[in-house]
Amino acid sequence: MQDRDLTQRIMSRDATTSTEPGETAEDLLALVARGDEPAFGRLYDLAAGMVFGLVRRVLRNEAQSEEVFQEVMLEVWRTASRFDPSRGKATTWIMTMAHRRAVDRVRSAQAATNRDERVAAMTVDTPFDEVVEQVTDRIEQRKVRRCLSSLTDLQRESVLLAYYQGYSYPEVSTLLSVPLGTVKTRMRDGLIRLRDCLGVTA
Amino acid sequence: MSVSSDLHLLTGVYAMNALPEDERAEFEEHLADCDSCAQEVAELQATSVGLNLATELAPPSHLRSQVLAKLATTPQSPLETTATVTVLASRSPKKWLMRASILTTAAAVLGAVVLGVQGVQDWNELDALRQSAAGYSQVSDLLNAPDAKLVSDSASAGGKGTVVVSPSRGKAVFLSSGLPQLPSDRTYQLWMVGPDGPRSAGLLRDEPVVAEGLADAQKLALTIEPSGGSSSPTLPLVLTVSLV
Ligand SMILES: [Zn+2]
Protein backbone atom coordinates (compact mmCIF):
# COMPACT_ATOMS: atom_id res chain seq x y z
CA MET A 1 0.00 0.00 0.00
CA GLN A 2 2.67 2.38 1.17
CA ASP A 3 4.96 1.09 -1.56
CA ARG A 4 2.36 1.62 -4.20
CA ASP A 5 1.71 5.21 -3.10
CA LEU A 6 5.39 6.00 -3.16
CA THR A 7 5.87 4.33 -6.49
CA GLN A 8 3.07 6.40 -7.93
CA ARG A 9 4.51 9.52 -6.42
CA ILE A 10 7.96 9.00 -7.86
CA MET A 11 6.50 8.05 -11.21
CA SER A 12 4.39 11.21 -11.29
CA ARG A 13 7.04 13.45 -9.81
CA ASP A 14 7.69 15.33 -13.02
CA ALA A 15 4.04 16.09 -13.35
CA THR A 16 3.72 17.53 -9.86
CA THR A 17 6.39 20.20 -10.32
CA SER A 18 5.29 23.47 -11.81
CA THR A 19 6.06 22.43 -15.35
CA GLU A 20 3.11 22.23 -17.67
CA PRO A 21 1.94 18.75 -18.64
CA GLY A 22 4.43 17.00 -20.87
CA GLU A 23 6.93 19.85 -20.72
CA THR A 24 10.53 18.61 -20.65
CA ALA A 25 13.72 20.38 -19.62
CA GLU A 26 14.59 20.43 -23.34
CA ASP A 27 11.32 22.21 -24.17
CA LEU A 28 11.90 24.71 -21.39
CA LEU A 29 15.48 25.46 -22.44
CA ALA A 30 14.27 26.20 -25.97
CA LEU A 31 11.77 28.70 -24.56
CA VAL A 32 14.37 30.19 -22.22
CA ALA A 33 16.71 30.70 -25.20
CA ARG A 34 14.04 33.01 -26.61
CA GLY A 35 13.90 35.06 -23.42
CA ASP A 36 10.81 33.43 -21.90
CA GLU A 37 11.04 34.36 -18.19
CA PRO A 38 8.08 32.28 -16.95
CA ALA A 39 9.64 29.27 -18.70
CA PHE A 40 12.87 30.00 -16.86
CA GLY A 41 10.91 29.97 -13.61
CA ARG A 42 9.59 26.50 -14.43
CA LEU A 43 13.05 25.30 -15.45
CA TYR A 44 14.36 26.68 -12.16
CA ASP A 45 11.80 24.63 -10.24
CA LEU A 46 12.77 21.54 -12.20
CA ALA A 47 16.54 21.88 -11.88
CA ALA A 48 17.25 23.85 -8.68
CA GLY A 49 17.39 20.81 -6.38
CA MET A 50 19.73 18.87 -8.64
CA VAL A 51 22.01 21.85 -9.24
CA PHE A 52 22.18 22.94 -5.61
CA GLY A 53 22.73 19.37 -4.44
CA LEU A 54 25.71 18.96 -6.73
CA VAL A 55 27.23 22.37 -6.03
CA ARG A 56 26.79 21.90 -2.30
CA ARG A 57 28.39 18.49 -2.47
CA VAL A 58 31.47 19.73 -4.29
CA LEU A 59 31.89 22.97 -2.33
CA ARG A 60 30.75 21.82 1.13
CA ASN A 61 30.28 25.44 2.11
CA GLU A 62 26.77 26.86 2.32
CA ALA A 63 27.53 30.51 1.48
CA GLN A 64 29.78 29.67 -1.47
CA SER A 65 27.28 27.09 -2.68
CA GLU A 66 24.49 29.66 -2.71
CA GLU A 67 26.64 32.07 -4.73
CA VAL A 68 27.74 29.49 -7.25
CA PHE A 69 24.20 28.13 -7.51
CA GLN A 70 22.93 31.56 -8.51
CA GLU A 71 25.76 31.96 -11.02
CA VAL A 72 24.88 28.63 -12.58
CA MET A 73 21.18 29.42 -12.88
CA LEU A 74 22.01 32.75 -14.51
CA GLU A 75 24.46 31.02 -16.84
CA VAL A 76 21.64 28.72 -17.90
CA TRP A 77 19.62 31.83 -18.72
CA ARG A 78 22.51 33.50 -20.56
CA THR A 79 23.65 30.54 -22.62
CA ALA A 80 20.44 28.57 -23.18
CA SER A 81 20.74 29.21 -26.93
CA ARG A 82 23.96 27.19 -27.00
CA PHE A 83 22.29 24.02 -25.77
CA ASP A 84 22.36 21.49 -28.60
CA PRO A 85 19.78 18.73 -28.07
CA SER A 86 21.62 16.48 -30.52
CA ARG A 87 24.47 16.28 -28.02
CA GLY A 88 22.58 15.00 -25.01
CA LYS A 89 19.96 15.72 -22.38
CA ALA A 90 19.24 19.20 -21.07
CA THR A 91 19.76 18.09 -17.48
CA THR A 92 23.19 16.70 -18.36
CA TRP A 93 24.06 20.03 -19.97
CA ILE A 94 22.92 21.98 -16.92
CA MET A 95 24.58 19.64 -14.44
CA THR A 96 27.86 19.62 -16.35
CA MET A 97 27.80 23.42 -16.24
CA ALA A 98 27.02 23.36 -12.52
CA HIS A 99 29.86 20.95 -11.84
CA ARG A 100 32.27 23.05 -13.85
CA ARG A 101 31.33 26.23 -11.99
CA ALA A 102 31.65 24.49 -8.63
CA VAL A 103 35.04 23.07 -9.58
CA ASP A 104 36.24 26.48 -10.81
CA ARG A 105 35.22 27.93 -7.46
CA VAL A 106 37.06 25.21 -5.56
CA ARG A 107 40.21 25.95 -7.52
CA SER A 108 40.02 29.72 -7.06
CA ALA A 109 39.18 29.33 -3.37
CA GLN A 110 42.13 27.01 -3.17
CA ALA A 111 44.43 29.73 -4.43
CA ALA A 112 43.30 31.92 -1.53
CA THR A 113 43.11 29.47 1.36
CA ASN A 114 44.94 26.26 1.73
CA ARG A 115 43.53 22.90 0.92
CA ASP A 116 43.87 21.55 4.44
CA GLU A 117 41.42 24.12 5.76
CA ARG A 118 38.92 23.08 3.16
CA VAL A 119 39.34 19.46 4.12
CA ALA A 120 38.91 20.39 7.79
CA ALA A 121 35.75 22.34 6.94
CA MET A 122 34.33 19.27 5.27
CA THR A 123 34.05 17.45 8.56
CA VAL A 124 31.95 20.20 10.15
CA ASP A 125 28.52 19.19 9.02
CA THR A 126 25.14 19.82 10.57
CA PRO A 127 23.00 16.89 11.71
CA PHE A 128 20.63 17.56 8.79
CA ASP A 129 23.51 17.16 6.39
CA GLU A 130 24.36 13.87 8.00
CA VAL A 131 20.86 12.62 7.43
CA VAL A 132 20.99 13.73 3.84
CA GLU A 133 24.33 12.02 3.39
CA GLN A 134 23.02 8.84 4.94
CA VAL A 135 20.02 8.77 2.66
CA THR A 136 22.18 9.50 -0.33
CA ASP A 137 24.56 6.77 0.68
CA ARG A 138 21.74 4.29 0.80
CA ILE A 139 20.59 5.10 -2.69
CA GLU A 140 24.10 5.05 -4.07
CA GLN A 141 24.90 1.81 -2.32
CA ARG A 142 22.26 0.13 -4.38
CA LYS A 143 23.55 0.64 -7.88
CA VAL A 144 26.10 3.38 -8.25
CA ARG A 145 28.21 2.02 -5.44
CA ARG A 146 27.99 -1.43 -6.90
CA CYS A 147 29.33 -0.01 -10.15
CA LEU A 148 31.98 2.05 -8.40
CA SER A 149 33.21 -1.06 -6.66
CA SER A 150 33.82 -2.73 -10.01
CA LEU A 151 36.57 -0.17 -10.71
CA THR A 152 40.17 -0.63 -9.71
CA ASP A 153 41.22 1.36 -6.65
CA LEU A 154 43.13 3.81 -8.79
CA GLN A 155 40.24 4.32 -11.21
CA ARG A 156 37.79 4.83 -8.36
CA GLU A 157 40.02 7.19 -6.39
CA SER A 158 40.74 9.27 -9.47
CA VAL A 159 37.07 9.57 -10.39
CA LEU A 160 35.94 10.40 -6.86
CA LEU A 161 38.70 12.92 -6.16
CA ALA A 162 38.03 14.71 -9.42
CA TYR A 163 34.26 14.58 -9.44
CA TYR A 164 33.30 15.14 -5.82
CA GLN A 165 36.25 17.19 -4.63
CA GLY A 166 37.10 19.14 -7.73
CA TYR A 167 40.77 18.18 -7.98
CA SER A 168 42.38 18.66 -11.38
CA TYR A 169 44.16 15.67 -12.86
CA PRO A 170 47.65 17.04 -12.06
CA GLU A 171 46.50 17.39 -8.43
CA VAL A 172 45.14 13.86 -8.46
CA SER A 173 48.46 12.73 -9.85
CA THR A 174 50.26 14.35 -6.91
CA LEU A 175 47.79 13.11 -4.32
CA LEU A 176 47.96 9.51 -5.50
CA SER A 177 51.64 9.62 -6.46
CA VAL A 178 51.04 8.28 -9.95
CA PRO A 179 52.27 9.70 -13.28
CA LEU A 180 50.12 12.26 -15.12
CA GLY A 181 49.57 9.99 -18.10
CA THR A 182 48.33 7.21 -15.82
CA VAL A 183 45.74 9.47 -14.19
CA LYS A 184 44.45 10.55 -17.59
CA THR A 185 43.90 7.02 -18.78
CA ARG A 186 42.57 5.72 -15.44
CA MET A 187 39.94 8.46 -15.29
CA ARG A 188 38.84 7.61 -18.81
CA ASP A 189 38.91 3.85 -18.25
CA GLY A 190 37.06 4.28 -14.96
CA LEU A 191 34.28 6.40 -16.47
CA ILE A 192 33.95 4.05 -19.42
CA ARG A 193 33.56 1.14 -17.05
CA LEU A 194 30.94 3.07 -15.07
CA ARG A 195 29.16 4.00 -18.28
CA ASP A 196 28.93 0.33 -19.21
CA CYS A 197 27.97 -0.81 -15.71
CA LEU A 198 25.24 1.81 -15.43
CA GLY A 199 24.02 0.87 -18.90
CA VAL A 200 24.92 4.07 -20.75
CA THR A 201 26.03 2.18 -23.84
CA ALA A 202 25.74 3.56 -27.33
CA MET B 1 50.09 12.32 -34.55
CA SER B 2 51.17 11.38 -31.06
CA VAL B 3 49.83 14.70 -29.81
CA SER B 4 46.41 14.04 -31.26
CA SER B 5 46.17 10.46 -29.99
CA ASP B 6 47.04 11.86 -26.58
CA LEU B 7 44.17 14.28 -26.90
CA HIS B 8 41.70 11.44 -27.54
CA LEU B 9 42.55 10.08 -24.12
CA LEU B 10 41.39 13.27 -22.41
CA THR B 11 37.65 12.62 -22.76
CA GLY B 12 37.28 11.28 -19.22
CA VAL B 13 39.33 14.01 -17.59
CA TYR B 14 37.41 16.62 -19.58
CA ALA B 15 34.01 15.12 -18.69
CA MET B 16 34.90 15.47 -15.01
CA ASN B 17 36.13 19.04 -15.43
CA ALA B 18 39.52 17.93 -14.20
CA LEU B 19 41.60 19.64 -16.91
CA PRO B 20 43.56 22.75 -15.94
CA GLU B 21 42.27 25.79 -17.81
CA ASP B 22 44.88 25.98 -20.59
CA GLU B 23 44.52 22.30 -21.47
CA ARG B 24 40.75 22.62 -21.31
CA ALA B 25 40.78 25.27 -24.03
CA GLU B 26 43.08 23.16 -26.18
CA PHE B 27 40.89 20.08 -25.80
CA GLU B 28 37.72 22.04 -26.61
CA GLU B 29 39.31 23.03 -29.92
CA HIS B 30 40.00 19.38 -30.64
CA LEU B 31 36.48 18.44 -29.58
CA ALA B 32 34.93 20.69 -32.22
CA ASP B 33 36.61 18.62 -34.94
CA CYS B 34 36.63 15.12 -33.49
CA ASP B 35 33.37 13.19 -33.73
CA SER B 36 34.48 10.21 -31.71
CA CYS B 37 35.68 12.38 -28.82
CA ALA B 38 32.48 14.45 -28.95
CA GLN B 39 30.36 11.34 -28.62
CA GLU B 40 32.50 9.86 -25.88
CA VAL B 41 32.49 13.13 -23.94
CA ALA B 42 28.71 13.32 -24.16
CA GLU B 43 28.37 9.80 -22.79
CA LEU B 44 30.94 10.27 -20.07
CA GLN B 45 29.35 13.55 -19.01
CA ALA B 46 26.02 11.75 -18.74
CA THR B 47 27.79 9.06 -16.71
CA SER B 48 29.36 11.61 -14.33
CA VAL B 49 26.04 13.35 -13.87
CA GLY B 50 24.48 9.96 -13.20
CA LEU B 51 26.84 9.46 -10.29
CA ASN B 52 25.17 12.41 -8.72
CA LEU B 53 21.49 12.22 -9.59
CA ALA B 54 20.58 11.14 -6.11
CA THR B 55 21.95 14.13 -4.25
CA GLU B 56 19.11 16.58 -4.81
CA LEU B 57 18.97 19.31 -2.21
CA ALA B 58 16.55 22.20 -2.37
CA PRO B 59 18.30 25.59 -2.21
CA PRO B 60 17.06 28.22 0.27
CA SER B 61 13.74 29.42 -1.11
CA HIS B 62 14.63 33.14 -1.14
CA LEU B 63 17.21 32.50 -3.89
CA ARG B 64 14.45 31.90 -6.43
CA SER B 65 13.19 35.49 -6.43
CA GLN B 66 16.77 36.79 -6.32
CA VAL B 67 17.72 34.87 -9.46
CA LEU B 68 14.50 35.74 -11.29
CA ALA B 69 14.98 39.43 -10.46
CA LYS B 70 18.34 39.40 -12.24
CA LEU B 71 17.00 38.06 -15.55
CA ALA B 72 15.91 41.44 -16.87
CA THR B 73 19.45 42.82 -16.57
CA THR B 74 21.27 39.65 -17.70
CA PRO B 75 21.80 39.65 -21.48
CA GLN B 76 21.36 36.35 -23.31
CA SER B 77 23.57 34.89 -26.02
CA PRO B 78 21.80 35.24 -29.35
CA LEU B 79 20.11 32.17 -30.78
CA GLU B 80 22.22 30.29 -33.34
CA THR B 81 25.66 31.48 -32.48
CA THR B 82 28.23 31.21 -35.26
CA ALA B 83 30.13 28.64 -33.24
CA THR B 84 27.20 26.24 -33.23
CA VAL B 85 26.59 26.71 -36.94
CA THR B 86 30.22 25.97 -37.78
CA VAL B 87 30.31 22.85 -35.68
CA LEU B 88 27.12 21.50 -37.17
CA ALA B 89 28.17 22.34 -40.70
CA SER B 90 31.39 20.39 -40.30
CA ARG B 91 29.50 17.19 -39.67
CA SER B 92 27.20 15.13 -41.79
CA PRO B 93 23.60 15.65 -40.69
CA LYS B 94 22.87 11.95 -40.88
CA LYS B 95 25.59 11.12 -38.40
CA TRP B 96 24.23 13.71 -36.01
CA LEU B 97 20.75 12.37 -36.31
CA MET B 98 22.01 8.92 -35.44
CA ARG B 99 24.02 10.21 -32.54
CA ALA B 100 21.03 12.13 -31.21
CA SER B 101 18.92 8.99 -31.04
CA ILE B 102 21.73 7.01 -29.46
CA LEU B 103 22.24 9.65 -26.80
CA THR B 104 18.55 10.00 -26.09
CA THR B 105 18.37 6.27 -25.52
CA ALA B 106 21.50 6.30 -23.40
CA ALA B 107 20.19 9.14 -21.29
CA ALA B 108 16.85 7.43 -20.82
CA VAL B 109 18.60 4.24 -19.75
CA LEU B 110 20.79 6.14 -17.32
CA GLY B 111 17.77 7.86 -15.82
CA ALA B 112 16.12 4.49 -15.44
CA VAL B 113 19.19 3.00 -13.84
CA VAL B 114 19.21 5.45 -11.01
CA LEU B 115 15.58 4.72 -10.31
CA GLY B 116 16.50 1.09 -10.46
CA VAL B 117 14.88 -0.22 -13.61
CA GLN B 118 17.98 -1.47 -15.34
CA GLY B 119 19.70 -4.57 -14.04
CA VAL B 120 17.40 -4.99 -11.09
CA GLN B 121 16.98 -8.59 -10.03
CA ASP B 122 13.43 -8.53 -8.80
CA TRP B 123 10.46 -6.28 -8.30
CA ASN B 124 11.05 -5.98 -4.60
CA GLU B 125 14.37 -4.37 -5.25
CA LEU B 126 12.80 -2.10 -7.83
CA ASP B 127 10.19 -0.97 -5.33
CA ALA B 128 12.91 -0.45 -2.77
CA LEU B 129 14.88 1.77 -5.10
CA ARG B 130 11.84 3.78 -6.01
CA GLN B 131 10.98 4.22 -2.39
CA SER B 132 14.52 5.34 -1.57
CA ALA B 133 14.46 7.88 -4.34
CA ALA B 134 11.05 9.17 -3.32
CA GLY B 135 12.13 9.25 0.30
CA TYR B 136 15.24 11.14 -0.55
CA SER B 137 13.46 13.95 -2.35
CA GLN B 138 11.01 14.09 0.55
CA VAL B 139 13.85 14.50 3.01
CA SER B 140 15.25 17.48 1.18
CA ASP B 141 11.73 18.84 0.84
CA LEU B 142 11.03 18.33 4.55
CA LEU B 143 14.30 19.99 5.53
CA ASN B 144 12.97 23.17 4.00
CA ALA B 145 9.84 23.23 6.14
CA PRO B 146 10.15 26.08 8.65
CA ASP B 147 9.28 23.79 11.55
CA ALA B 148 11.40 20.78 10.50
CA LYS B 149 13.31 19.20 13.35
CA LEU B 150 15.55 16.24 13.85
CA VAL B 151 14.92 13.74 16.66
CA SER B 152 16.48 10.40 17.39
CA ASP B 153 16.47 7.67 19.99
CA SER B 154 18.36 4.47 20.68
CA ALA B 155 16.93 0.98 20.59
CA SER B 156 17.28 -1.22 23.66
CA ALA B 157 18.73 -4.08 21.58
CA GLY B 158 21.22 -1.78 19.89
CA GLY B 159 20.89 0.59 16.96
CA LYS B 160 19.23 3.91 16.52
CA GLY B 161 16.31 5.62 14.79
CA THR B 162 16.57 9.10 13.34
CA VAL B 163 13.54 11.13 12.30
CA VAL B 164 13.07 14.38 10.42
CA VAL B 165 9.60 15.65 11.28
CA SER B 166 7.57 18.62 10.18
CA PRO B 167 4.29 18.96 12.10
CA SER B 168 3.04 21.62 9.67
CA ARG B 169 3.35 19.19 6.78
CA GLY B 170 2.13 16.24 8.84
CA LYS B 171 5.10 14.25 7.63
CA ALA B 172 8.14 12.49 8.99
CA VAL B 173 11.02 10.59 7.46
CA PHE B 174 12.47 7.69 9.44
CA LEU B 175 15.94 6.26 9.06
CA SER B 176 17.52 3.52 11.15
CA SER B 177 21.11 2.64 11.74
CA GLY B 178 22.73 -0.39 13.33
CA LEU B 179 19.53 -2.29 14.16
CA PRO B 180 20.02 -6.03 14.69
CA GLN B 181 19.60 -8.10 11.54
CA LEU B 182 16.30 -10.05 11.50
CA PRO B 183 15.65 -13.59 10.24
CA SER B 184 14.25 -13.60 6.70
CA ASP B 185 10.68 -14.26 7.87
CA ARG B 186 10.64 -11.16 10.07
CA THR B 187 10.63 -7.47 9.30
CA TYR B 188 10.75 -4.17 11.15
CA GLN B 189 7.53 -2.19 10.89
CA LEU B 190 7.09 1.48 11.73
CA TRP B 191 3.98 2.84 13.46
CA MET B 192 2.53 6.29 14.03
CA VAL B 193 1.22 6.30 17.56
CA GLY B 194 -1.48 8.80 18.57
CA PRO B 195 -4.48 9.00 20.92
CA ASP B 196 -6.51 6.82 18.55
CA GLY B 197 -3.97 4.02 18.60
CA PRO B 198 -1.19 2.93 16.26
CA ARG B 199 -1.34 3.20 12.46
CA SER B 200 1.21 1.54 10.20
CA ALA B 201 3.70 3.87 8.50
CA GLY B 202 5.28 1.08 6.49
CA LEU B 203 7.91 -1.62 6.62
CA LEU B 204 11.59 -0.92 7.09
CA ARG B 205 12.39 -3.28 4.26
CA ASP B 206 13.75 -0.22 2.51
CA GLU B 207 14.57 3.13 3.93
CA PRO B 208 13.94 5.88 4.51
CA VAL B 209 10.31 5.29 5.44
CA VAL B 210 8.12 8.32 4.86
CA ALA B 211 5.32 8.59 7.43
CA GLU B 212 2.54 10.72 6.07
CA GLY B 213 -0.67 12.01 7.62
CA LEU B 214 0.87 12.17 11.07
CA ALA B 215 -2.13 14.15 12.34
CA ASP B 216 -1.94 13.96 16.13
CA ALA B 217 0.61 11.16 16.32
CA GLN B 218 2.87 11.69 19.33
CA LYS B 219 5.58 9.24 18.43
CA LEU B 220 6.90 6.78 15.92
CA ALA B 221 7.40 3.24 17.17
CA LEU B 222 9.19 0.28 15.68
CA THR B 223 8.20 -3.38 16.09
CA ILE B 224 9.25 -6.76 14.73
CA GLU B 225 6.54 -8.39 12.60
CA PRO B 226 6.12 -11.32 10.20
CA SER B 227 7.73 -10.50 6.86
CA GLY B 228 4.54 -9.16 5.24
CA GLY B 229 3.87 -6.78 8.10
CA SER B 230 0.93 -6.73 10.54
CA SER B 231 -2.24 -4.70 10.86
CA SER B 232 -1.46 -3.97 14.52
CA PRO B 233 1.88 -3.84 16.31
CA THR B 234 3.35 -6.85 18.09
CA LEU B 235 4.96 -5.96 21.41
CA PRO B 236 7.57 -5.27 22.62
CA LEU B 237 8.47 -1.98 20.94
CA VAL B 238 11.99 -2.10 19.60
CA LEU B 239 12.33 1.64 19.58
CA THR B 240 10.23 4.77 19.99
CA VAL B 241 10.98 8.28 18.83
CA SER B 242 8.95 11.09 20.30
CA LEU B 243 7.72 13.65 17.76
CA VAL B 244 6.62 16.35 20.21
ZN1 LIG C 1 39.56 12.99 -30.45
Side-chain angles (χ1 to χ4, degrees), chain B residues 18 37 150 193 198 207 221:
Chain B
C37 280
L150 184 80
V193 185
E207 293 185 63

Side-chain angles (χ1 to χ4, degrees), chain B residues 8 30 34 36-37:
Chain B
H8 297 317
H30 169 74
C34 179
S36 64
C37 280

Side-chain angles (χ1 to χ4, degrees), chain B residues 58-152:
Chain B
S61 50
H62 68 272
L63 294 185
R64 192 180 192 276
S65 52
Q66 278 183 28
V67 170
L68 293 187
K70 285 179 190 150
L71 297 185
T73 54
T74 308
Q76 292 185 284
S77 323
L79 268 171
E80 293 183 348
T81 60
T82 47
T84 312
V85 173
T86 323
V87 168
L88 286 176
S90 71
R91 300 197 161 110
S92 87
K94 205 171 176 184
K95 219 186 237 178
W96 270 99
L97 206 65
M98 216 170 74
R99 177 177 304 167
S101 74
I102 287 166
L103 281 178
T104 310
T105 312
V109 169
L110 180 63
V113 161
V114 175
L115 293 182
V117 175
Q118 173 85 11
V120 168
Q121 299 311 313
D122 59 46
W123 287 96
N124 283 340
E125 190 181 356
L126 178 59
D127 272 353
L129 283 158
R130 287 203 177 116
Q131 178 161 349
S132 298
Y136 179 76
S137 73
Q138 300 218 17
V139 171
S140 67
D141 182 47
L142 262 195
L143 293 180
N144 274 339
D147 61 343
K149 63 174 179 167
L150 184 80
V151 284
S152 69

Side-chain angles (χ1 to χ4, degrees), chain A residues 2-3 6-7 9-11 13 18 30 32-38 40-42 44-46 48-57 62 66-67 69-70 73-74 76-82 84-89 91-93 95-97 99-101 103-104 107 127-136 138-140 142-144 146 148 158-160 162-164 166-170 183-185 187-188 191-192 194-202, chain B residues 6 8-21 23-24 28 39-40 42-64 66-68 70-72 74-81 84 87-88 91 96 99-100 102-103 106-111 113-115 118-119 125 127-139 143 148-150 162 164 175-177 201-202 205-212:
Chain A
Q2 169 96 356
D3 288 350
L6 283 160
T7 304
R9 206 172 313 120
I10 189 80
M11 298 308 267
R13 200 160 136 239
S18 61
V32 169
R34 294 189 202 100
D36 186 332
E37 295 191 14
F40 181 85
R42 299 198 294 278
Y44 182 104
D45 296 333
L46 197 74
M50 280 188 300
V51 169
F52 190 70
L54 175 57
V55 168
R56 182 72 175 70
R57 179 147 190 183
E62 180 68 23
E66 290 179 15
E67 275 175 41
F69 166 76
Q70 294 183 70
M73 296 315 292
L74 287 171
V76 168
W77 167 256
R78 280 197 297 107
T79 63
S81 63
R82 292 188 204 147
D84 176 357
S86 69
R87 290 192 182 199
K89 269 177 58 171
T91 47
T92 301
W93 184 77
M95 292 296 277
T96 302
M97 192 181 277
H99 185 255
R100 184 159 166 169
R101 283 278 181 165
V103 163
D104 285 347
R107 303 226 179 110
F128 275 175
D129 285 339
E130 278 168 32
V131 175
V132 172
E133 294 270 357
Q134 278 184 51
V135 176
T136 306
R138 268 168 218 253
I139 295 162
E140 287 178 349
R142 308 263 180 175
K143 180 81 188 179
V144 176
R146 199 182 302 155
L148 278 171
S158 306
V159 166
L160 295 180
Y163 199 76
Y164 292 121
Y167 286 108
S168 68
Y169 85 91
V183 172
K184 270 187 220 175
T185 53
M187 279 191 191
R188 178 167 174 271
L191 273 185
I192 286 173
L194 282 174
R195 177 195 68 187
D196 297 344
C197 178
L198 290 166
V200 193
T201 35
Chain B
D6 251 21
H8 297 317
L9 293 177
L10 288 178
T11 49
V13 182
Y14 178 78
M16 284 189 292
N17 294 308
L19 281 174
E21 225 160 309
E23 291 184 57
R24 186 195 275 175
E28 280 178 345
Q39 168 152 6
E40 194 165 283
E43 289 170 4
L44 297 186
Q45 279 176 339
T47 304
S48 313
V49 169
L51 287 177
N52 216 63
L53 277 183
T55 65
E56 280 195 27
L57 187 64
S61 50
H62 68 272
L63 294 185
R64 192 180 192 276
Q66 278 183 28
V67 170
L68 293 187
K70 285 179 190 150
L71 297 185
T74 308
Q76 292 185 284
S77 323
L79 268 171
E80 293 183 348
T81 60
T84 312
V87 168
L88 286 176
R91 300 197 161 110
W96 270 99
R99 177 177 304 167
I102 287 166
L103 281 178
V109 169
L110 180 63
V113 161
V114 175
L115 293 182
Q118 173 85 11
E125 190 181 356
D127 272 353
L129 283 158
R130 287 203 177 116
Q131 178 161 349
S132 298
Y136 179 76
S137 73
Q138 300 218 17
V139 171
L143 293 180
K149 63 174 179 167
L150 184 80
T162 302
V164 178
L175 203 66
S176 74
S177 60
R205 193 182 60 198
D206 12 78
E207 293 185 63
V209 176
V210 180
E212 279 194 280

